[in-house]
Amino acid sequence: MKKVLMPLPTYGFDPTEAAIPWLLLTAHGYEVAFATPNGYSSLADIRMLRGEQLGIWKWLLQARSDAVTAYYQMSNSDNFCAPLKYTDIQMNEYDALLLPGGHDKGVREYLESALLQSIVVDFFVAKKPVAAICHGVVLAARSINPATGKSVLHPYKTTALLQSQELAAYHLTKLWLQDYYLTYPVTVEAAVKAALSDPAHFLKGPAPLWRDTAAHLNRGFTVTDRNYLSARWPGDAYRFSMDFIQLLAVSF
């Protein structure tokens, strides 16, 4: 059985971006292993799960019911309940890497982990499949290959959370949630573009008006460049998952 590594922060990852890929990967016969900073089970962003304090925008911003159901299934799985510590990750034990996102400030320990960044570099150098969605692309962008002094994403095309999406969520909720939707003062799109050899290699895709589903993969958007797959937001999660499964199939 092929093994996919999914590192997570202690708290704050996006439930859709982790659970939908987990659900579809396991359904297609892949094993998904988890890793956290301290080796204890991670917890998704509660606000995304429950819709708390999202006000009139709850219907738009909260995780959809299918993703919430998948999250609780994932959170009760054996591998999720017994994650590795980041320090115990051995790249050679895994066939691929999946990097979910999340915008709660809790994801900073994941995005800023020098250890995780070095592991991301190892996967790219080994040319193993790597998939990143939303803020997960920031982790990849910050992963500097010591052989080149540049981000592993420098020669790739990619997408990630669009600045228009990030700022729209921030402005819709800032009166009561302050900067909850801004993980950093610099947007994801700006941070990722700065790591690329050409800002034009950041692909925005069609307007993200609707979330995709298993029956409507065309609503999602991804970018595949060699061994690397990227997507923008939870609304791309089904397309992202199925494209990753396809990438894995041709890589082995």
Side-chain angles (χ1 to χ4, degrees):
M1 181 180 291
K2 300 297 183 180
K3 295 180 69 173
V4 177
L5 174 66
M6 186 188 299
L8 297 170
T10 302
Y11 173 79
F13 68 90
D14 184 88
T16 305
E17 294 168 3
I20 295 302
W22 171 85
L23 182 70
L24 295 178
L25 282 164
T26 55
H28 282 77
Y30 294 94
E31 179 182 355
V32 180
F34 298 90
T36 61
N38 53 21
Y40 296 106
S41 296
S42 182
L43 181 64
D45 184 343
I46 294 296
R47 184 170 282 126
M48 290 294 95
L49 288 170
R50 300 177 181 172
E52 294 172 352
Q53 296 182 296
L54 294 179
I56 62 172
W57 305 111
K58 178 178 177 179
W59 64 275
L60 176 65
L61 300 173
Q62 181 186 5
R64 211 168 47 196
S65 60
D66 55 329
V68 173
T69 298
Y71 168 75
Y72 285 117
Q73 292 174 334
M74 179 182 74
S75 66
N76 285 306
S77 67
D78 291 342
N79 282 0
F80 188 90
C81 293
L84 296 170
K85 292 181 181 179
Y86 286 173
T87 53
D88 293 334
I89 296 172
Q90 298 292 326
M91 185 271 291
N92 291 334
E93 296 181 1
Y94 302 96
D95 300 290
L97 178 67
L98 195 151
L99 305 174
H103 55 266
D104 185 276
K105 302 298 188 290
V107 303
R108 286 179 173 181
E109 67 172 345
Y110 160 77
L111 301 177
E112 297 171 6
S113 169
L115 179 56
L116 276 187
Q117 290 168 16
S118 69
I119 291 166
V120 172
V121 171
D122 290 342
F123 272 90
F124 271 91
V125 170
K127 300 191 185 313
K128 292 187 175 183
V130 177
I133 182 170
C134 197
H135 284 67
V137 182
V138 174
L139 174 54
R142 289 177 171 178
S143 301
I144 306 301
N145 185 340
T148 65
K150 297 176 180 177
S151 168
V152 293
L153 294 188
H154 186 75
Y156 285 84
K157 292 181 179 179
T158 189
T159 191
L161 182 68
L162 304 182
Q163 181 166 289
S164 59
Q165 293 177 288
E166 191 170 3
L167 294 182
Y170 164 66
H171 286 298
L172 286 173
T173 62
K174 67 178 180 179
L175 288 179
W176 63 95
L177 294 181
Q178 288 77 51
D179 65 348
Y180 164 70
Y181 271 101
L182 293 181
T183 310
Y184 296 101
V186 175
T187 64
V188 168
E189 181 178 333
V192 172
K193 280 183 174 178
L196 304 179
S197 62
D198 184 342
H201 289 170
F202 185 96
L203 306 181
K204 295 186 177 184
L209 300 177
W210 304 101
R211 297 188 184 214
D212 66 6
T213 69
H216 297 285
L217 296 179
N218 61 305
R219 294 177 182 171
F221 175 72
T222 66
V223 174
T224 302
D225 188 349
R226 289 161 282 178
N227 62 306
Y228 170 62
L229 171 74
S230 57
R232 303 170 300 182
W233 70 305
D236 297 328
Y238 280 93
R239 172 75 175 270
F240 174 71
S241 303
M242 295 307 300
D243 285 355
F244 192 42
I245 289 166
Q246 190 172 50
L247 178 62
L248 294 174
V250 300
S251 299
F252 301 137

